[in-house]
């Protein structure tokens, strides 16, 4: 069932995290931050919405790095219930799509909770002051994956870098985060 992200308070600051990357090293928000901001993405390996736009995510991350905005992907799903999202499968997924950014494992799901992540993919664009400026989707094509769809995420992040009005802020739609049982 499709889940929609929601717009959150624009005064939100990027929450600190330190998580294990697929290279077995730990990365923190501060070490990953670009001079003009950061794109924090919540994704997973099994979601058809993520798979539909994964090549666009890699493309946009490369283009954003050229303008001083780094990207990081975080996988927060319950891997006991969704073994396709396991740490080992994260490595395979990253290799398959030639990730140019860290792919971090949020095993405790605390980072997803801090960010109020709702779905995969879910995008959080922060400016150079660590203020949330974009919470939205990559484009409007969804599962159709239209190759010429307007690059909402990229254009909005570029506007953030240039301190201009953000042209888009439409919610992302995808699979819900697969939370661990709290019982």
């Amino acid at each position: 069932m499709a889940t929609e992200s929601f717009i959150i308070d624009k005064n939100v600051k990027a929450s600190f995290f330190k998580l294990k990357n697929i290279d077995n090293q730990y990365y923190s928000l501060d070490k990953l931050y670009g001079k003009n901001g950061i794109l924090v993405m919540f994704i997973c390996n099994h979601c058809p919405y993520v798979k539909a736009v994964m090549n666009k995510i890699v493309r946009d991350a490369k283009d954003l790095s050229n303008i001083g905005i780094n990207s990081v992907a975080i996988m927060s799903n319950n891997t006991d219930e969704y073994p396709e999202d396991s740490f080992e499968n994260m490595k395979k997924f990253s290799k398959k799509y030639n990730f140019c950014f860290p792919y971090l494992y949020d095993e405790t799901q605390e980072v997803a909770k801090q960010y109020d992540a709702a779905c995969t993919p879910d995008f959080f664009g922060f400016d150079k002051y660590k203020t949330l400026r974009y919470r939205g989707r990559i484009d409007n094509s969804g599962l159709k994956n239209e190759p010429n769809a307007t690059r909402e995420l990229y254009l909005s992040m570029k506007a953030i870098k240039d301190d201009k009005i953000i042209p888009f802020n439409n919610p992302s739609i995808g699979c819900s985060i697969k939370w661990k049982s709290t019982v």
Side-chain angles (χ1 to χ4, degrees), residues 109-172:
Q109 300 184 313
E110 289 302 313
V111 176
K113 290 174 186 172
Q114 287 173 345
Y115 279 78
D116 257 343
C119 58
T120 58
D122 204 351
F123 301 97
F124 296 79
F126 295 91
D127 65 17
K128 63 184 170 186
Y129 305 108
K130 296 186 180 175
T131 301
L132 181 64
R133 301 276 309 278
Y134 183 78
R135 172 85 186 270
R137 62 191 183 190
I138 195 155
D139 62 31
N140 67 352
S141 67
L143 286 173
K144 292 181 241 154
N145 193 16
E146 298 167 9
N148 297 319
T150 300
R151 296 174 69 185
E152 295 179 19
L153 172 69
Y154 175 77
L155 294 171
S156 296
M157 293 302 294
K158 187 171 182 318
I160 290 169
K161 175 210 152 282
D162 295 335
D163 202 23
K164 294 185 177 175
I165 295 172
I166 300 159
F168 301 98
N169 210 359
N170 298 305
S172 186

Side-chain angles (χ1 to χ4, degrees), residues 9-135:
D9 184 353
K10 291 191 184 248
N11 294 319
V12 169
K13 292 287 189 179
S15 295
F16 177 81
F17 59 76
K18 186 173 185 179
L19 296 170
K20 186 176 177 180
N21 186 36
I22 56 170
D23 66 2
N24 292 314
Q25 301 298 310
Y26 284 83
Y27 291 79
S28 69
L29 174 73
D30 295 337
K31 295 273 186 196
L32 296 172
Y33 226 87
K35 70 178 182 177
N36 292 314
I38 192 166
L39 173 64
V40 177
M41 306 173 276
F42 289 86
I43 67 169
C44 69
N45 309 328
H46 86 272
C47 175
Y49 293 91
V50 171
K51 290 177 180 179
V53 297
M54 201 62 243
N55 288 323
K56 292 179 182 180
I57 289 173
V58 171
R59 174 203 64 199
D60 284 2
K62 285 178 184 174
D63 290 349
L64 289 171
S65 71
N66 291 333
I67 59 171
I69 298 172
N70 289 344
S71 299
V72 60
I74 299 173
M75 202 301 295
S76 300
N77 277 350
N78 177 350
T79 59
D80 291 335
E81 303 244 346
Y82 293 85
E84 190 176 341
D85 292 333
S86 72
F87 189 70
E88 286 306 311
N89 285 329
M90 288 171 60
K91 293 177 184 179
K92 294 174 187 172
F93 192 74
S94 170
K95 187 175 184 177
K96 177 180 179 179
Y97 289 100
N98 297 310
F99 282 17
C100 56
F101 46 82
Y103 191 19
L104 309 179
Y105 183 33
D106 180 20
E107 185 173 9
T108 66
Q109 300 184 313
E110 289 302 313
V111 176
K113 290 174 186 172
Q114 287 173 345
Y115 279 78
D116 257 343
C119 58
T120 58
D122 204 351
F123 301 97
F124 296 79
F126 295 91
D127 65 17
K128 63 184 170 186
Y129 305 108
K130 296 186 180 175
T131 301
L132 181 64
R133 301 276 309 278
Y134 183 78
R135 172 85 186 270

